Amino acid sequence: MRVAFLGLGIMGRPMAANLVKKGHAVTVWNRSTGKTVDGARTAGSPKEAVANAEVVWICVSDTAAVEQVLFGEDGVADGIKPGTIVVDSSTIAPAATVRFAERLKKQGAEFVDAPVTGSKIGAENGTLIFIAGGREETLEKVRPLFEAMGKQFVRMGDVGKGEAAKLAMNLQIALIYEGFAEALVLARKLGVDQKALFTLIQSSMVRSGVVDYKMPFVEKEDFSANFPLRLMHKDIRLTLEAAREAGIELPGLATVKQVYDRADKAGLSDMDYAVTLSVLASD
Ligand code: NAP
């Protein structure tokens, strides 16, 4: 398929590379210049990138960035043709997603939200899970692209429901990792051997995918970004905002947010969110 891929960050670049590997004709664009993908054409603007595309795939940081890419100067909306499918893999606000879809519909384009889970390793290995919102028929049309970049896509409902489910997923990831980090800090203070604790966790019901992913990095104290803290912090804010709109409270997540606020103040935002462990350990 002819795909315009917009946003070549930690996730977008390997995702676009996997599309190229599977034989799709890919044109890439990134806000700051110099980021490219072997085998893909590079465009100077979203407008230029989408001119000949059947599918536009977006993976940028947040709601404001998606709005800029879609509707800013020389954005997607300036160049898109009726019938084009726009898929957004960024994690953004569900309510804004619905608004963006309505605006694009007026131009005859269809919008799908398909945020991902699987992080940097999942993007590199083509094993992401797409959490999709949109019409079944539209999702089927882009199935070959889901399959080039991931191992599964799950339809959560209409447009916006992918983002809503993604926030519910990251809520759990933030809380699970916080539980792991607090347990580790406590156990260390109480003189427990870290290696023995890891063995115990891995052989018990406490084991989880989140801990499986993060444990090797924690062991090496390698907090370089797989999922930057600033992005998890953004997702926590989005989740609390969605909860407020829905008229519910999330007291656990509201408390975890305080740890992220402290990490941000300590200048750790560009490191992996696993670095929250060192914020706790520094108390
Ligand atoms: P990243 O490495 O920080 O990359 C962000 C991308 O967004 C860059 O290409 C950046 O362009 C672009 N961008 C930021 N603001 C923009 C704007 N105003 N206009 C146009 N482009 C803009 O982030 P990432 O890790 O790839 O994450 C991308 C999305 O996937 C986020 O929504 C994140 O929450 C989600 N996600 C990430 C992970 C993960 O583990 N990393 C996992 C699941 C979901 P520049 O290069 O010019 O800065």
Side-chain angles (χ1 to χ4, degrees), residues 7-12 29-33 35 59-62 64-66 68-69 89-92 115-120 166 170 213 226-228 230-232 234-235:
L8 302 176
I10 292 173
M11 300 297 283
W29 170 83
N30 192 67
R31 177 182 60 173
S32 50
T33 50
K35 289 187 189 171
C59 191
V60 294
S61 357
D62 54 19
V66 174
Q68 177 71 31
V69 168
S89 279
S90 325
T91 306
I92 68 166
V116 295
T117 190
S119 203
K120 185 179 180 224
K166 169 68 184 170
N170 273 19
Y213 193 109
N226 275 243
F227 185 25
R230 63 186 154 76
L231 293 180
M232 182 62 108
K234 174 255 311 175
D235 292 351

mmCIF file of all heavy atoms in Angstrom, residues 7-12 29-33 35 59-62 64-66 68-69 89-92 115-120 166 170 213 226-228 230-232 234-235, ligand 1:
data_model
loop_
_atom_site.group_PDB
_atom_site.id
_atom_site.type_symbol
_atom_site.label_atom_id
_atom_site.label_comp_id
_atom_site.label_asym_id
_atom_site.label_seq_id
_atom_site.Cartn_x
_atom_site.Cartn_y
_atom_site.Cartn_z
ATOM 1 N N GLY A 7 5.929 11.247 11.784
ATOM 2 C CA GLY A 7 6.441 11.161 13.150
ATOM 3 C C GLY A 7 7.413 10.008 13.303
ATOM 4 O O GLY A 7 7.011 8.855 13.332
ATOM 5 N N LEU A 8 8.717 10.348 13.388
ATOM 6 C CA LEU A 8 9.753 9.306 13.434
ATOM 7 C C LEU A 8 10.477 9.328 14.772
ATOM 8 O O LEU A 8 11.697 9.475 14.838
ATOM 9 C CB LEU A 8 10.736 9.491 12.278
ATOM 10 C CG LEU A 8 10.134 9.471 10.869
ATOM 11 C CD1 LEU A 8 11.212 9.761 9.821
ATOM 12 C CD2 LEU A 8 9.453 8.130 10.567
ATOM 13 N N GLY A 9 9.709 9.218 15.857
ATOM 14 C CA GLY A 9 10.311 9.171 17.195
ATOM 15 C C GLY A 9 10.716 7.748 17.553
ATOM 16 O O GLY A 9 10.926 6.901 16.675
ATOM 17 N N ILE A 10 10.806 7.487 18.850
ATOM 18 C CA ILE A 10 11.205 6.157 19.347
ATOM 19 C C ILE A 10 10.323 5.075 18.720
ATOM 20 O O ILE A 10 10.804 4.013 18.324
ATOM 21 C CB ILE A 10 11.082 6.108 20.891
ATOM 22 C CG1 ILE A 10 12.115 7.018 21.556
ATOM 23 C CG2 ILE A 10 11.228 4.670 21.410
ATOM 24 C CD1 ILE A 10 11.962 7.170 23.066
ATOM 25 N N MET A 11 9.028 5.353 18.598
ATOM 26 C CA MET A 11 8.084 4.353 18.079
ATOM 27 C C MET A 11 7.939 4.440 16.557
ATOM 28 O O MET A 11 7.952 3.431 15.850
ATOM 29 C CB MET A 11 6.713 4.544 18.740
ATOM 30 C CG MET A 11 6.711 4.398 20.251
ATOM 31 S SD MET A 11 7.180 2.757 20.792
ATOM 32 C CE MET A 11 5.686 1.841 20.476
ATOM 33 N N GLY A 12 7.747 5.658 16.056
ATOM 34 C CA GLY A 12 7.399 5.835 14.651
ATOM 35 C C GLY A 12 8.455 5.344 13.684
ATOM 36 O O GLY A 12 8.138 4.705 12.663
ATOM 37 N N TRP A 29 7.674 11.655 7.048
ATOM 38 C CA TRP A 29 7.892 13.063 7.398
ATOM 39 C C TRP A 29 8.115 13.140 8.899
ATOM 40 O O TRP A 29 7.478 12.407 9.669
ATOM 41 C CB TRP A 29 6.676 13.923 7.018
ATOM 42 C CG TRP A 29 6.792 15.322 7.588
ATOM 43 C CD1 TRP A 29 7.469 16.369 7.056
ATOM 44 C CD2 TRP A 29 6.240 15.797 8.819
ATOM 45 N NE1 TRP A 29 7.390 17.471 7.878
ATOM 46 C CE2 TRP A 29 6.634 17.137 8.970
ATOM 47 C CE3 TRP A 29 5.466 15.205 9.823
ATOM 48 C CZ2 TRP A 29 6.281 17.912 10.083
ATOM 49 C CZ3 TRP A 29 5.112 15.973 10.932
ATOM 50 C CH2 TRP A 29 5.515 17.319 11.039
ATOM 51 N N ASN A 30 9.024 14.004 9.314
ATOM 52 C CA ASN A 30 9.222 14.284 10.736
ATOM 53 C C ASN A 30 9.401 15.788 10.912
ATOM 54 O O ASN A 30 9.967 16.451 10.045
ATOM 55 C CB ASN A 30 10.462 13.547 11.262
ATOM 56 C CG ASN A 30 10.530 13.575 12.782
ATOM 57 O OD1 ASN A 30 9.696 12.967 13.453
ATOM 58 N ND2 ASN A 30 11.486 14.301 13.330
ATOM 59 N N ARG A 31 8.888 16.298 12.056
ATOM 60 C CA ARG A 31 8.948 17.754 12.293
ATOM 61 C C ARG A 31 10.374 18.279 12.198
ATOM 62 O O ARG A 31 10.667 19.176 11.412
ATOM 63 C CB ARG A 31 8.352 18.077 13.671
ATOM 64 C CG ARG A 31 8.439 19.550 14.030
ATOM 65 C CD ARG A 31 7.888 19.803 15.407
ATOM 66 N NE ARG A 31 8.596 19.067 16.451
ATOM 67 C CZ ARG A 31 8.386 19.221 17.742
ATOM 68 N NH1 ARG A 31 7.476 20.069 18.163
ATOM 69 N NH2 ARG A 31 9.073 18.523 18.630
ATOM 70 N N SER A 32 11.292 17.716 12.988
ATOM 71 C CA SER A 32 12.673 18.175 12.863
ATOM 72 C C SER A 32 13.339 17.348 11.772
ATOM 73 O O SER A 32 13.097 16.140 11.659
ATOM 74 C CB SER A 32 13.419 18.060 14.188
ATOM 75 O OG SER A 32 13.254 16.789 14.728
ATOM 76 N N THR A 33 14.161 18.013 11.000
ATOM 77 C CA THR A 33 14.741 17.337 9.836
ATOM 78 C C THR A 33 15.882 16.414 10.255
ATOM 79 O O THR A 33 16.353 16.476 11.386
ATOM 80 C CB THR A 33 15.269 18.369 8.825
ATOM 81 O OG1 THR A 33 16.091 19.290 9.540
ATOM 82 C CG2 THR A 33 14.152 19.100 8.121
ATOM 83 N N LYS A 35 15.757 13.052 10.372
ATOM 84 C CA LYS A 35 15.324 11.684 10.681
ATOM 85 C C LYS A 35 14.744 11.070 9.406
ATOM 86 O O LYS A 35 13.823 11.637 8.805
ATOM 87 C CB LYS A 35 14.255 11.686 11.781
ATOM 88 C CG LYS A 35 14.785 12.038 13.159
ATOM 89 C CD LYS A 35 13.697 11.852 14.219
ATOM 90 C CE LYS A 35 14.150 12.398 15.554
ATOM 91 N NZ LYS A 35 13.066 12.430 16.554
ATOM 92 N N CYS A 59 2.294 9.040 14.275
ATOM 93 C CA CYS A 59 2.775 8.626 15.595
ATOM 94 C C CYS A 59 3.616 9.756 16.186
ATOM 95 O O CYS A 59 4.838 9.803 16.006
ATOM 96 C CB CYS A 59 3.583 7.325 15.510
ATOM 97 S SG CYS A 59 3.891 6.646 17.160
ATOM 98 N N VAL A 60 2.927 10.707 16.825
ATOM 99 C CA VAL A 60 3.612 11.845 17.448
ATOM 100 C C VAL A 60 3.250 11.907 18.934
ATOM 101 O O VAL A 60 2.480 11.084 19.424
ATOM 102 C CB VAL A 60 3.286 13.172 16.713
ATOM 103 C CG1 VAL A 60 3.863 13.169 15.304
ATOM 104 C CG2 VAL A 60 1.783 13.422 16.659
ATOM 105 N N SER A 61 3.818 12.913 19.646
ATOM 106 C CA SER A 61 3.773 12.834 21.109
ATOM 107 C C SER A 61 2.406 12.948 21.759
ATOM 108 O O SER A 61 2.063 12.146 22.605
ATOM 109 C CB SER A 61 4.664 13.893 21.758
ATOM 110 O OG SER A 61 5.358 14.627 20.852
ATOM 111 N N ASP A 62 1.641 13.992 21.412
ATOM 112 C CA ASP A 62 0.449 14.261 22.230
ATOM 113 C C ASP A 62 -0.680 14.869 21.393
ATOM 114 O O ASP A 62 -0.554 15.017 20.165
ATOM 115 C CB ASP A 62 0.817 15.188 23.409
ATOM 116 C CG ASP A 62 1.497 16.465 22.945
ATOM 117 O OD1 ASP A 62 1.372 16.809 21.749
ATOM 118 O OD2 ASP A 62 2.163 17.122 23.758
ATOM 119 N N ALA A 64 -1.852 17.920 21.102
ATOM 120 C CA ALA A 64 -1.522 19.155 20.371
ATOM 121 C C ALA A 64 -0.692 18.838 19.126
ATOM 122 O O ALA A 64 -0.874 19.463 18.069
ATOM 123 C CB ALA A 64 -0.758 20.113 21.291
ATOM 124 N N ALA A 65 0.196 17.866 19.242
ATOM 125 C CA ALA A 65 1.040 17.503 18.096
ATOM 126 C C ALA A 65 0.197 16.889 16.971
ATOM 127 O O ALA A 65 0.397 17.195 15.793
ATOM 128 C CB ALA A 65 2.142 16.537 18.531
ATOM 129 N N VAL A 66 -0.753 16.033 17.340
ATOM 130 C CA VAL A 66 -1.617 15.428 16.306
ATOM 131 C C VAL A 66 -2.435 16.520 15.616
ATOM 132 O O VAL A 66 -2.554 16.554 14.384
ATOM 133 C CB VAL A 66 -2.549 14.345 16.917
ATOM 134 C CG1 VAL A 66 -3.540 13.835 15.876
ATOM 135 C CG2 VAL A 66 -1.729 13.189 17.472
ATOM 136 N N GLN A 68 -1.667 19.633 15.258
ATOM 137 C CA GLN A 68 -0.751 20.394 14.408
ATOM 138 C C GLN A 68 -0.479 19.657 13.090
ATOM 139 O O GLN A 68 -0.537 20.250 12.005
ATOM 140 C CB GLN A 68 0.558 20.609 15.193
ATOM 141 C CG GLN A 68 1.666 21.319 14.447
ATOM 142 C CD GLN A 68 1.344 22.795 14.231
ATOM 143 O OE1 GLN A 68 0.669 23.399 15.058
ATOM 144 N NE2 GLN A 68 1.815 23.356 13.128
ATOM 145 N N VAL A 69 -0.211 18.369 13.199
ATOM 146 C CA VAL A 69 0.096 17.573 11.997
ATOM 147 C C VAL A 69 -1.123 17.502 11.070
ATOM 148 O O VAL A 69 -0.990 17.599 9.844
ATOM 149 C CB VAL A 69 0.550 16.148 12.412
ATOM 150 C CG1 VAL A 69 0.587 15.211 11.221
ATOM 151 C CG2 VAL A 69 1.914 16.198 13.075
ATOM 152 N N SER A 89 -1.573 6.481 15.765
ATOM 153 C CA SER A 89 -1.031 5.584 16.795
ATOM 154 C C SER A 89 -0.459 6.360 17.986
ATOM 155 O O SER A 89 0.170 5.758 18.857
ATOM 156 C CB SER A 89 0.054 4.674 16.204
ATOM 157 O OG SER A 89 -0.544 3.592 15.534
ATOM 158 N N SER A 90 -0.654 7.673 18.007
ATOM 159 C CA SER A 90 -0.214 8.447 19.172
ATOM 160 C C SER A 90 -1.202 8.179 20.309
ATOM 161 O O SER A 90 -2.350 7.823 20.061
ATOM 162 C CB SER A 90 -0.243 9.946 18.853
ATOM 163 O OG SER A 90 0.119 10.196 17.510
ATOM 164 N N THR A 91 -0.763 8.365 21.549
ATOM 165 C CA THR A 91 -1.698 8.266 22.674
ATOM 166 C C THR A 91 -2.184 9.680 22.986
ATOM 167 O O THR A 91 -1.392 10.525 23.429
ATOM 168 C CB THR A 91 -1.020 7.660 23.920
ATOM 169 O OG1 THR A 91 -0.433 6.417 23.556
ATOM 170 C CG2 THR A 91 -2.037 7.451 25.035
ATOM 171 N N ILE A 92 -3.454 9.930 22.718
ATOM 172 C CA ILE A 92 -3.996 11.286 22.901
ATOM 173 C C ILE A 92 -5.374 11.203 23.556
ATOM 174 O O ILE A 92 -5.880 10.120 23.828
ATOM 175 C CB ILE A 92 -4.055 12.071 21.563
ATOM 176 C CG1 ILE A 92 -5.106 11.473 20.619
ATOM 177 C CG2 ILE A 92 -2.686 12.114 20.894
ATOM 178 C CD1 ILE A 92 -5.456 12.384 19.439
ATOM 179 N N PRO A 115 -3.779 3.489 18.974
ATOM 180 C CA PRO A 115 -2.596 3.571 19.834
ATOM 181 C C PRO A 115 -2.041 2.167 20.080
ATOM 182 O O PRO A 115 -2.734 1.174 19.815
ATOM 183 C CB PRO A 115 -3.138 4.203 21.126
ATOM 184 C CG PRO A 115 -4.603 3.946 21.103
ATOM 185 C CD PRO A 115 -5.000 3.907 19.669
ATOM 186 N N VAL A 116 -0.804 2.121 20.567
ATOM 187 C CA VAL A 116 -0.115 0.827 20.636
ATOM 188 C C VAL A 116 0.333 0.491 22.045
ATOM 189 O O VAL A 116 0.518 1.366 22.890
ATOM 190 C CB VAL A 116 1.134 0.826 19.718
ATOM 191 C CG1 VAL A 116 0.717 0.951 18.267
ATOM 192 C CG2 VAL A 116 2.103 1.946 20.094
ATOM 193 N N THR A 117 0.552 -0.788 22.253
ATOM 194 C CA THR A 117 1.249 -1.228 23.459
ATOM 195 C C THR A 117 2.340 -2.189 23.017
ATOM 196 O O THR A 117 2.179 -2.913 22.030
ATOM 197 C CB THR A 117 0.268 -1.826 24.495
ATOM 198 O OG1 THR A 117 0.968 -2.030 25.727
ATOM 199 C CG2 THR A 117 -0.372 -3.124 24.041
ATOM 200 N N GLY A 118 3.457 -2.170 23.722
ATOM 201 C CA GLY A 118 4.603 -3.019 23.332
ATOM 202 C C GLY A 118 5.922 -2.266 23.401
ATOM 203 O O GLY A 118 6.991 -2.873 23.329
ATOM 204 N N SER A 119 5.828 -0.927 23.483
ATOM 205 C CA SER A 119 7.002 -0.067 23.672
ATOM 206 C C SER A 119 8.049 -0.218 22.549
ATOM 207 O O SER A 119 7.753 -0.751 21.477
ATOM 208 C CB SER A 119 7.613 -0.292 25.061
ATOM 209 O OG SER A 119 8.355 0.835 25.452
ATOM 210 N N LYS A 120 9.253 0.281 22.840
ATOM 211 C CA LYS A 120 10.305 0.363 21.819
ATOM 212 C C LYS A 120 10.657 -1.021 21.256
ATOM 213 O O LYS A 120 10.798 -1.187 20.036
ATOM 214 C CB LYS A 120 11.537 0.990 22.487
ATOM 215 C CG LYS A 120 12.681 1.265 21.581
ATOM 216 C CD LYS A 120 13.819 1.907 22.362
ATOM 217 C CE LYS A 120 14.980 2.193 21.460
ATOM 218 N NZ LYS A 120 16.271 1.819 22.074
ATOM 219 N N LYS A 166 -6.631 2.510 25.629
ATOM 220 C CA LYS A 166 -5.186 2.698 25.828
ATOM 221 C C LYS A 166 -4.923 3.399 27.175
ATOM 222 O O LYS A 166 -3.997 3.038 27.906
ATOM 223 C CB LYS A 166 -4.608 3.508 24.659
ATOM 224 C CG LYS A 166 -3.190 4.012 24.844
ATOM 225 C CD LYS A 166 -2.165 2.903 24.872
ATOM 226 C CE LYS A 166 -0.778 3.480 25.154
ATOM 227 N NZ LYS A 166 0.203 2.440 25.426
ATOM 228 N N ASN A 170 -2.608 2.034 30.205
ATOM 229 C CA ASN A 170 -1.450 2.704 30.808
ATOM 230 C C ASN A 170 -1.661 3.018 32.281
ATOM 231 O O ASN A 170 -0.700 3.090 33.042
ATOM 232 C CB ASN A 170 -1.074 3.950 30.005
ATOM 233 C CG ASN A 170 -0.123 3.581 28.875
ATOM 234 O OD1 ASN A 170 -0.055 2.414 28.507
ATOM 235 N ND2 ASN A 170 0.599 4.544 28.340
ATOM 236 N N TYR A 213 9.437 -6.789 31.246
ATOM 237 C CA TYR A 213 10.065 -5.817 30.348
ATOM 238 C C TYR A 213 11.088 -4.965 31.108
ATOM 239 O O TYR A 213 12.194 -4.730 30.634
ATOM 240 C CB TYR A 213 8.990 -4.906 29.726
ATOM 241 C CG TYR A 213 9.468 -4.059 28.551
ATOM 242 C CD1 TYR A 213 9.040 -4.335 27.252
ATOM 243 C CD2 TYR A 213 10.338 -2.983 28.728
ATOM 244 C CE1 TYR A 213 9.458 -3.570 26.175
ATOM 245 C CE2 TYR A 213 10.768 -2.209 27.665
ATOM 246 C CZ TYR A 213 10.321 -2.498 26.388
ATOM 247 O OH TYR A 213 10.751 -1.737 25.323
ATOM 248 N N ASN A 226 12.995 4.010 26.841
ATOM 249 C CA ASN A 226 12.168 3.157 25.981
ATOM 250 C C ASN A 226 10.809 3.832 25.884
ATOM 251 O O ASN A 226 10.297 4.085 24.811
ATOM 252 C CB ASN A 226 12.000 1.763 26.587
ATOM 253 C CG ASN A 226 13.163 0.847 26.237
ATOM 254 O OD1 ASN A 226 12.997 -0.147 25.576
ATOM 255 N ND2 ASN A 226 14.366 1.206 26.662
ATOM 256 N N PHE A 227 10.252 4.134 27.037
ATOM 257 C CA PHE A 227 9.027 4.928 27.116
ATOM 258 C C PHE A 227 9.356 6.117 28.032
ATOM 259 O O PHE A 227 9.403 5.968 29.252
ATOM 260 C CB PHE A 227 7.883 4.079 27.684
ATOM 261 C CG PHE A 227 6.542 4.764 27.702
ATOM 262 C CD1 PHE A 227 6.239 5.792 26.827
ATOM 263 C CD2 PHE A 227 5.565 4.375 28.594
ATOM 264 C CE1 PHE A 227 5.003 6.421 26.837
ATOM 265 C CE2 PHE A 227 4.319 4.988 28.625
ATOM 266 C CZ PHE A 227 4.044 6.014 27.739
ATOM 267 N N PRO A 228 9.623 7.289 27.429
ATOM 268 C CA PRO A 228 10.085 8.420 28.241
ATOM 269 C C PRO A 228 9.075 8.791 29.333
ATOM 270 O O PRO A 228 7.871 8.740 29.108
ATOM 271 C CB PRO A 228 10.216 9.564 27.232
ATOM 272 C CG PRO A 228 10.229 8.935 25.893
ATOM 273 C CD PRO A 228 9.502 7.638 26.004
ATOM 274 N N ARG A 230 8.268 11.623 30.379
ATOM 275 C CA ARG A 230 7.377 12.736 29.999
ATOM 276 C C ARG A 230 6.115 12.221 29.307
ATOM 277 O O ARG A 230 5.034 12.815 29.435
ATOM 278 C CB ARG A 230 8.114 13.761 29.120
ATOM 279 C CG ARG A 230 8.584 13.223 27.804
ATOM 280 C CD ARG A 230 9.448 14.191 26.992
ATOM 281 N NE ARG A 230 10.335 13.472 26.111
ATOM 282 C CZ ARG A 230 9.974 12.880 24.974
ATOM 283 N NH1 ARG A 230 8.739 12.973 24.554
ATOM 284 N NH2 ARG A 230 10.843 12.210 24.253
ATOM 285 N N LEU A 231 6.230 11.100 28.570
ATOM 286 C CA LEU A 231 5.058 10.567 27.865
ATOM 287 C C LEU A 231 4.125 9.800 28.812
ATOM 288 O O LEU A 231 2.904 9.905 28.697
ATOM 289 C CB LEU A 231 5.481 9.691 26.684
ATOM 290 C CG LEU A 231 6.183 10.427 25.540
ATOM 291 C CD1 LEU A 231 6.567 9.461 24.426
ATOM 292 C CD2 LEU A 231 5.311 11.558 24.974
ATOM 293 N N MET A 232 4.698 9.051 29.756
ATOM 294 C CA MET A 232 3.828 8.387 30.745
ATOM 295 C C MET A 232 3.144 9.442 31.626
ATOM 296 O O MET A 232 1.966 9.308 31.972
ATOM 297 C CB MET A 232 4.642 7.403 31.595
ATOM 298 C CG MET A 232 3.790 6.656 32.612
ATOM 299 S SD MET A 232 2.482 5.622 31.860
ATOM 300 C CE MET A 232 3.148 3.986 32.166
ATOM 301 N N LYS A 234 2.339 12.424 30.679
ATOM 302 C CA LYS A 234 1.259 12.936 29.819
ATOM 303 C C LYS A 234 0.057 11.994 29.848
ATOM 304 O O LYS A 234 -1.093 12.419 29.960
ATOM 305 C CB LYS A 234 1.826 13.093 28.401
ATOM 306 C CG LYS A 234 0.881 13.468 27.297
ATOM 307 C CD LYS A 234 0.483 12.359 26.344
ATOM 308 C CE LYS A 234 1.548 11.506 25.758
ATOM 309 N NZ LYS A 234 1.094 10.388 24.941
ATOM 310 N N ASP A 235 0.314 10.691 29.780
ATOM 311 C CA ASP A 235 -0.792 9.720 29.779
ATOM 312 C C ASP A 235 -1.529 9.718 31.119
ATOM 313 O O ASP A 235 -2.749 9.548 31.167
ATOM 314 C CB ASP A 235 -0.270 8.307 29.457
ATOM 315 C CG ASP A 235 0.209 8.208 28.016
ATOM 316 O OD1 ASP A 235 -0.020 9.163 27.248
ATOM 317 O OD2 ASP A 235 0.814 7.177 27.647
HETATM 318 P P1 NAP B 1 9.100 10.465 20.901
HETATM 319 O O1 NAP B 1 10.283 9.580 20.678
HETATM 320 O O2 NAP B 1 9.177 11.549 21.892
HETATM 321 O O3 NAP B 1 8.704 11.068 19.464
HETATM 322 C C1 NAP B 1 7.717 12.036 19.372
HETATM 323 C C2 NAP B 1 7.491 12.387 17.923
HETATM 324 O O4 NAP B 1 6.470 13.404 17.868
HETATM 325 C C3 NAP B 1 8.729 12.976 17.233
HETATM 326 O O5 NAP B 1 8.737 12.545 15.889
HETATM 327 C C4 NAP B 1 8.464 14.470 17.340
HETATM 328 O O6 NAP B 1 9.114 15.230 16.357
HETATM 329 C C5 NAP B 1 6.967 14.498 17.092
HETATM 330 N N1 NAP B 1 6.325 15.738 17.525
HETATM 331 C C6 NAP B 1 6.250 16.246 18.783
HETATM 332 N N2 NAP B 1 5.551 17.408 18.783
HETATM 333 C C7 NAP B 1 5.184 17.639 17.497
HETATM 334 C C8 NAP B 1 4.459 18.675 16.850
HETATM 335 N N3 NAP B 1 3.956 19.715 17.532
HETATM 336 N N4 NAP B 1 4.273 18.574 15.521
HETATM 337 C C9 NAP B 1 4.763 17.538 14.820
HETATM 338 N N5 NAP B 1 5.477 16.509 15.364
HETATM 339 C C10 NAP B 1 5.681 16.575 16.693
HETATM 340 O O7 NAP B 1 7.800 9.612 21.279
HETATM 341 P P2 NAP B 1 7.474 8.061 21.010
HETATM 342 O O8 NAP B 1 8.011 7.254 22.138
HETATM 343 O O9 NAP B 1 7.804 7.710 19.617
HETATM 344 O O10 NAP B 1 5.881 8.104 21.228
HETATM 345 C C11 NAP B 1 4.984 8.505 20.198
HETATM 346 C C12 NAP B 1 3.565 8.265 20.700
HETATM 347 O O11 NAP B 1 3.405 6.858 21.010
HETATM 348 C C13 NAP B 1 3.227 9.023 21.994
HETATM 349 O O12 NAP B 1 1.895 9.449 21.980
HETATM 350 C C14 NAP B 1 3.448 7.973 23.085
HETATM 351 O O13 NAP B 1 2.677 8.253 24.243
HETATM 352 C C15 NAP B 1 2.999 6.717 22.369
HETATM 353 N N6 NAP B 1 3.595 5.475 22.875
HETATM 354 C C16 NAP B 1 4.931 5.385 23.169
HETATM 355 C C17 NAP B 1 5.453 4.186 23.656
HETATM 356 C C18 NAP B 1 6.902 4.029 24.026
HETATM 357 O O14 NAP B 1 7.218 3.048 24.729
HETATM 358 N N7 NAP B 1 7.821 4.911 23.621
HETATM 359 C C19 NAP B 1 4.621 3.083 23.837
HETATM 360 C C20 NAP B 1 3.274 3.183 23.502
HETATM 361 C C21 NAP B 1 2.767 4.384 23.030
HETATM 362 P P3 NAP B 1 10.627 15.781 16.606
HETATM 363 O O15 NAP B 1 11.553 14.669 16.207
HETATM 364 O O16 NAP B 1 10.698 16.967 15.746
HETATM 365 O O17 NAP B 1 10.723 16.130 18.080
#
